[in-house]
Amino acid sequence: MYSFPNKRCDQARSEKGRQSNDKAQNPEESLTIMKRGQRWRCLVPLSFFFGILFYCNQSLWETLSIGAKPINNVIAGSGFRKLLEENGKIIDKSHPIGAIKQFPKCVIIGVRKCGTRALLEFLDLHSGIQSTYHEVHFFDDDKNYNQGLEWYRKNMPYSFPGQITVEKTPRYFISHGVPYRIKRLNSDMKIIVSLRHPTIRVISDYTQIYYNKLMKNETPDRFETMALDPDTGELNMRYKALQISIYHHNFARWLKIFPKNQIHIVDGDNLIIDPVSEIRKIEKFLGLAHEITYDKLYFNTTRGFYCMRVNSTMERCLGASKGRRHPDIDPNLITKFNKFFRPHNERLFKMINRRFPWS
């Protein structure tokens, strides 16, 4: 209950009490009136508080009213998600004393749909690594690159001097000028590339586009329509997903700029089955102690892939877009892809002096 320290208020309260006594016919009625007045004194400041809260969080209420607005608003970056992103910016401003934003010493250059997001999330569990959450697209986007190295550094996470900052942008692998630009920044840069069975990578590439169109209420093209030349019935060599899976075309450009001992190749297929074994190789490549074990990773039977134990009370899985079921593909078309990629795979194996069980 509020107190009124001045005499005028005391007099007013006394007057109010006298009026109540005049109206009350017995002590019980007086007590009831007094309690009713106390309730109203509490309700007024509470109503004022919740009014301000509602006004300041109007976008939150709009987002939670899923029946009134399309849930796509959440995906598009408004409402609740926008609030979370703003909170993330606030968290970014408060960082441990001594932590600074440093240029990366390691870059994951791709390949798209070969597990690069999972790889980055797993590596971020290591105490010696700080990773960028978003794809920066500095070296492959002229607009970003022309903003200069300081812009790039500011897009890095806070880290301590002894930690390794890791950046990931899968488009780097296929972009022609990127190896030169990275070399110009740091000739000792560690490069990580993840590869999967080329046919599976093509189908996974199509799967992402397929579900993205469904989310937009658009009708996706059939895989056969995109993968096959309508005139000849053979594989469509203009299909970008197919071009990306011819790994040796792009890998040759990287090996002209960086020596093999600065490039580590991750088996993206094995990363799905046995992630710890692949991460141990990366820890060795980066000169880090072995920290990431199956105490920090566990197989989520509901999601169908490995998730992370951040600490003893918190677990985290990749987004819902990861691990989605591939659409049904004609087995004859898969065989055609495998046959096409076979000589290209052999050229890659000779180039990197390593074989993968692709057939």
Side-chain angles (χ1 to χ4, degrees), residues 133-163:
Y133 181 76
H134 63 289
E135 296 175 6
V136 182
H137 287 281
F138 177 67
F139 296 105
D140 68 306
D141 188 316
D142 288 341
K143 182 180 177 181
N144 291 340
Y145 190 72
N146 290 334
Q147 294 192 68
L149 293 176
E150 185 61 16
W151 180 90
Y152 183 51
R153 188 184 65 81
K154 287 181 179 179
N155 275 274
M156 296 300 110
Y158 283 98
S159 62
F160 291 104
Q163 291 181 310

Side-chain angles (χ1 to χ4, degrees), residues 66-251:
I66 294 175
K69 287 194 173 185
I71 197 168
N72 285 343
N73 286 349
V74 181
I75 300 171
S78 65
F80 188 55
R81 178 169 179 176
K82 185 176 181 181
L83 291 174
L84 290 178
E85 290 173 351
E86 289 173 354
N87 288 338
K89 293 176 184 177
I90 295 172
I91 293 171
D92 184 61
K93 291 179 181 177
S94 59
H95 54 277
I97 297 174
I100 58 176
K101 293 195 172 187
Q102 307 180 82
F103 288 116
K105 295 180 181 177
C106 175
V107 177
I108 299 175
I109 63 172
V111 175
R112 168 183 162 89
K113 308 313 299 175
C114 288
T116 56
R117 168 52 59 183
L119 179 61
L120 189 73
E121 294 278 357
F122 294 162
L123 289 176
D124 200 43
L125 295 172
H126 199 291
S127 64
I129 290 176
Q130 289 290 346
S131 63
T132 55
Y133 181 76
H134 63 289
E135 296 175 6
V136 182
H137 287 281
F138 177 67
F139 296 105
D140 68 306
D141 188 316
D142 288 341
K143 182 180 177 181
N144 291 340
Y145 190 72
N146 290 334
Q147 294 192 68
L149 293 176
E150 185 61 16
W151 180 90
Y152 183 51
R153 188 184 65 81
K154 287 181 179 179
N155 275 274
M156 296 300 110
Y158 283 98
S159 62
F160 291 104
Q163 291 181 310
I164 295 175
T165 298
V166 179
E167 190 237 319
K168 175 194 80 82
T169 301
R171 190 174 175 81
Y172 288 167
F173 181 72
I174 64 173
S175 301
H176 284 254
V178 170
Y180 300 95
R181 289 177 171 181
I182 293 180
K183 182 82 169 185
R184 195 176 298 129
L185 171 65
N186 182 3
S187 60
D188 295 324
M189 185 75 77
K190 298 284 188 177
I191 306 295
I192 294 178
V193 58
S194 180
L195 304 177
R196 292 194 70 188
H197 189 299
T199 301
I200 294 176
R201 200 218 67 81
V202 172
I203 297 173
S204 182
D205 198 308
Y206 167 77
T207 300
Q208 178 171 316
I209 297 172
Y210 175 87
Y211 281 105
N212 286 346
K213 287 200 171 185
L214 288 180
M215 289 178 63
K216 297 176 183 177
N217 294 322
E218 298 176 3
T219 302
D221 295 323
R222 294 176 62 249
F223 180 71
E224 290 77 6
T225 302
M226 303 177 70
L228 295 175
D229 188 307
D231 297 325
T232 65
E234 297 300 320
L235 295 182
N236 179 13
M237 299 307 298
R238 295 184 300 275
Y239 185 27
K240 190 173 181 179
L242 179 148
Q243 295 175 1
I244 294 174
S245 284
I246 305 175
Y247 299 131
H248 68 88
H249 280 174
N250 292 297
F251 220 115

